[in-house]
Amino acid sequence: MRSPRQILAVTKGHGYDRNSFSDLLDVLPGIACTQVEQPAAQLHFSGAEPDRWDAYLLYDMPGFVFKSDHSHPDLLDPPQAYRDDFTSLVERGHGFVFVHHALAAWPTWEEYASIMGGRFRFLRDERRPDSGYRHDVEQRITPVTEAVGHPVLDGLHDGFTITDELYLAEIHHADITPLLVTDAELTDRTLWSTWNAVIGRRDTNDGWEHPRGSGVVAWVRNHPRSRIAYLQFGDGAAAFGNPAFRRLLANALHWVSDRGSENE
């Protein structure tokens, strides 16, 4: 019998239901997860530590200091040593699964967004709009036709229904292979502005413009060495307990752990 995949699950930087998240990790078949919060988790990306892990599960959102007066948050650069360690692991072929709010992590580190294949933006500037969100949306998820047969979608080819938070965010479509799409309408009229929320005006979209979203909610990154996946699901207990999401996450972790074989 094959030993369980050893996965480092990195957290902190965004609120979440710890008990439900831990319950999710505990039931993933063939997987043993160890949770470590930022910044202590950074030690597990250096030296001999990566040899302990078959893959990393990123459910963290470092790089922000939000303020109670709703003024502009402070943005933190990742330590250079961590930046070097992380990019070295990608180049060496380590596997990564980014989940939900990890898409917003390290806002000043553009290479990080390139590795993930997208970026959720809390901030608005003259060149790029802030991203959008909406909680507790019941949605139907279906596989992209060209992705049917991909190992991450094993057992999920008929699609599934989930109630979870939606994102309207930047996706680097030229660099990814889409796996799943939502039937929810992703527009700046149906979702809420994240910048408005930052400045104390949650669940509003006035003054906000954003291109319509493609509907892609899960993808794999076309990297020449590492296997990289992003799953947009995972806001809370409803998603964590969804059997299809549990299957999807387990599939993704097993797939990125098989980085020694030819990419499929």
Coordinates of all heavy atoms in Angstrom, one line a residue, residues 90-120:
V90 N 9.6 25.9 -7.4 CA 8.9 25.9 -8.7 C 9.8 25.4 -9.8 O 9.4 24.5 -10.6 CB 8.2 27.2 -9.0 CG1 7.6 27.2 -10.4 CG2 7.2 27.6 -8.0
E91 N 10.9 26.0 -9.9 CA 11.9 25.6 -11.0 C 12.4 24.2 -10.9 O 12.7 23.5 -11.9 CB 13.0 26.6 -11.0 CG 12.7 28.0 -11.4 CD 12.0 28.0 -12.8 OE1 12.5 27.3 -13.7 OE2 10.9 28.7 -12.9
R92 N 12.4 23.7 -9.6 CA 12.9 22.3 -9.4 C 11.8 21.3 -9.6 O 12.0 20.1 -9.6 CB 13.4 22.2 -8.0 CG 14.8 22.8 -7.8 CD 15.1 23.1 -6.4 NE 14.8 22.1 -5.4 CZ 14.9 22.3 -4.1 NH1 15.1 23.5 -3.6 NH2 14.6 21.3 -3.3
G93 N 10.5 21.7 -9.8 CA 9.4 20.8 -10.1 C 8.6 20.4 -9.0 O 7.9 19.4 -9.1
H94 N 8.5 21.2 -7.9 CA 7.6 20.9 -6.8 C 6.2 21.1 -7.2 O 5.9 22.0 -8.1 CB 8.0 21.7 -5.5 CG 8.2 20.8 -4.3 ND1 9.4 20.1 -4.1 CD2 7.4 20.5 -3.3 CE1 9.3 19.5 -2.9 NE2 8.1 19.7 -2.4
G95 N 5.2 20.5 -6.5 CA 3.8 20.6 -6.8 C 3.1 21.6 -5.8 O 3.4 21.6 -4.6
F96 N 2.2 22.4 -6.4 CA 1.5 23.4 -5.6 C 0.0 23.4 -6.0 O -0.4 23.4 -7.1 CB 2.0 24.8 -5.8 CG 3.4 25.0 -5.4 CD1 4.4 24.7 -6.3 CD2 3.8 25.4 -4.2 CE1 5.8 24.8 -6.0 CE2 5.1 25.6 -3.8 CZ 6.1 25.3 -4.7
V97 N -0.9 23.4 -4.9 CA -2.3 23.7 -5.1 C -2.7 24.9 -4.4 O -2.5 25.0 -3.2 CB -3.2 22.5 -4.7 CG1 -4.7 22.8 -4.8 CG2 -2.9 21.2 -5.4
F98 N -3.1 26.0 -5.1 CA -3.5 27.2 -4.5 C -5.1 27.2 -4.4 O -5.8 26.7 -5.3 CB -3.1 28.4 -5.4 CG -1.7 28.6 -5.6 CD1 -1.0 27.9 -6.6 CD2 -0.9 29.4 -4.7 CE1 0.4 28.1 -6.8 CE2 0.4 29.6 -4.9 CZ 1.1 28.9 -5.9
V99 N -5.6 27.6 -3.3 CA -7.0 27.5 -3.0 C -7.6 28.8 -2.6 O -7.0 29.5 -1.7 CB -7.3 26.4 -1.9 CG1 -8.8 26.3 -1.5 CG2 -6.8 25.0 -2.4
H100 N -8.7 29.2 -3.2 CA -9.6 30.3 -2.8 C -8.8 31.6 -2.7 O -8.2 32.1 -3.6 CB -10.4 29.9 -1.6 CG -11.6 30.8 -1.4 ND1 -12.5 31.0 -2.3 CD2 -11.9 31.7 -0.3 CE1 -13.4 31.9 -1.9 NE2 -13.1 32.3 -0.7
H101 N -8.7 32.1 -1.4 CA -8.2 33.5 -1.2 C -6.6 33.5 -1.4 O -6.1 34.6 -1.4 CB -8.5 34.0 0.1 CG -8.3 33.1 1.3 ND1 -9.3 32.6 2.1 CD2 -7.1 32.6 1.8 CE1 -8.8 31.8 3.0 NE2 -7.5 31.8 2.9
A102 N -6.0 32.4 -1.6 CA -4.6 32.4 -2.0 C -4.3 33.2 -3.3 O -3.2 33.7 -3.5 CB -4.0 31.0 -2.1
L103 N -5.4 33.4 -4.1 CA -5.2 34.1 -5.3 C -4.9 35.6 -5.1 O -4.5 36.3 -6.0 CB -6.5 34.0 -6.1 CG -6.5 34.4 -7.6 CD1 -5.6 33.4 -8.4 CD2 -7.9 34.4 -8.2
A104 N -5.1 36.1 -3.8 CA -4.8 37.5 -3.5 C -3.5 37.6 -2.8 O -3.1 38.8 -2.5 CB -6.0 38.0 -2.6
A105 N -2.8 36.6 -2.5 CA -1.6 36.7 -1.6 C -0.5 37.5 -2.3 O -0.3 37.5 -3.5 CB -1.1 35.2 -1.3
W106 N 0.3 38.1 -1.4 CA 1.5 38.8 -1.8 C 1.2 39.8 -3.0 O 1.7 39.6 -4.1 CB 2.7 37.9 -2.2 CG 3.1 37.0 -1.1 CD1 3.1 35.6 -1.1 CD2 3.7 37.3 0.1 NE1 3.6 35.1 0.0 CE2 4.0 36.1 0.8 CE3 4.0 38.6 0.7 CZ2 4.6 36.1 2.1 CZ3 4.5 38.6 2.0 CH2 4.8 37.4 2.7
P107 N 0.5 40.8 -2.8 CA 0.0 41.7 -3.9 C 1.2 42.5 -4.5 O 1.0 42.9 -5.7 CB -0.9 42.7 -3.2 CG -0.5 42.7 -1.7 CD -0.1 41.2 -1.5
T108 N 2.3 42.6 -3.9 CA 3.4 43.3 -4.5 C 4.4 42.4 -5.3 O 5.3 42.9 -5.9 CB 4.3 44.1 -3.5 OG1 4.9 43.1 -2.6 CG2 3.4 45.0 -2.6
W109 N 4.1 41.1 -5.3 CA 5.0 40.1 -5.9 C 4.3 39.6 -7.2 O 3.5 38.7 -7.2 CB 5.2 39.0 -4.9 CG 6.2 37.9 -5.4 CD1 7.0 38.0 -6.5 CD2 6.5 36.7 -4.7 NE1 7.8 36.8 -6.6 CE2 7.5 36.1 -5.5 CE3 6.0 36.1 -3.5 CZ2 8.0 34.8 -5.1 CZ3 6.5 34.9 -3.2 CH2 7.5 34.2 -3.9
E110 N 4.6 40.2 -8.3 CA 3.9 39.9 -9.6 C 4.2 38.5 -10.1 O 3.4 37.8 -10.7 CB 4.2 40.9 -10.6 CG 3.5 42.2 -10.4 CD 1.9 42.1 -10.4 OE1 1.4 41.3 -11.2 OE2 1.3 42.7 -9.5
E111 N 5.4 38.0 -9.8 CA 5.8 36.7 -10.2 C 5.0 35.6 -9.5 O 4.7 34.6 -10.1 CB 7.3 36.4 -10.0 CG 7.8 35.1 -10.5 CD 9.3 34.8 -10.3 OE1 9.9 35.6 -9.6 OE2 9.8 33.8 -10.8
Y112 N 4.5 35.9 -8.3 CA 3.7 35.0 -7.6 C 2.4 34.8 -8.4 O 1.9 33.7 -8.5 CB 3.4 35.5 -6.2 CG 2.9 34.5 -5.2 CD1 3.7 33.5 -4.7 CD2 1.6 34.5 -4.8 CE1 3.2 32.6 -3.8 CE2 1.1 33.6 -3.9 CZ 1.9 32.7 -3.4 OH 1.4 31.7 -2.5
A113 N 1.8 35.9 -8.8 CA 0.6 35.8 -9.6 C 0.8 35.1 -10.9 O -0.1 34.3 -11.3 CB 0.0 37.2 -9.9
S114 N 2.0 35.2 -11.5 CA 2.3 34.5 -12.8 C 2.4 33.0 -12.5 O 1.9 32.2 -13.3 CB 3.6 35.0 -13.3 OG 3.5 36.4 -13.7
I115 N 2.9 32.6 -11.4 CA 3.0 31.2 -11.0 C 1.6 30.6 -10.8 O 1.3 29.5 -11.3 CB 3.9 31.0 -9.8 CG1 5.3 31.4 -10.1 CG2 3.7 29.6 -9.2 CD1 6.2 31.5 -8.9
M116 N 0.7 31.4 -10.1 CA -0.6 30.9 -9.9 C -1.5 30.9 -11.2 O -2.3 30.0 -11.3 CB -1.3 31.8 -8.9 CG -0.9 31.6 -7.5 SD -2.0 32.5 -6.3 CE -1.5 34.2 -6.7
G117 N -1.2 31.8 -12.0 CA -2.0 32.0 -13.2 C -3.2 33.0 -13.1 O -4.1 33.0 -13.9
G118 N -3.0 33.9 -12.1 CA -4.1 34.9 -11.9 C -3.8 35.7 -10.7 O -2.8 35.5 -10.0
R119 N -4.7 36.7 -10.5 CA -4.6 37.6 -9.3 C -5.9 38.1 -8.9 O -6.7 38.7 -9.7 CB -3.6 38.7 -9.7 CG -3.6 39.9 -8.7 CD -2.9 39.5 -7.4 NE -1.5 39.5 -7.6 CZ -0.7 38.9 -6.7 NH1 -1.1 38.3 -5.6 NH2 0.7 39.0 -6.9
F120 N -6.3 38.0 -7.6 CA -7.4 38.7 -7.0 C -6.9 40.0 -6.4 O -6.0 39.9 -5.6 CB -8.1 37.8 -6.0 CG -9.3 38.4 -5.4 CD1 -10.6 38.0 -5.9 CD2 -9.3 39.3 -4.4 CE1 -11.8 38.5 -5.4 CE2 -10.5 39.9 -3.9 CZ -11.7 39.5 -4.4

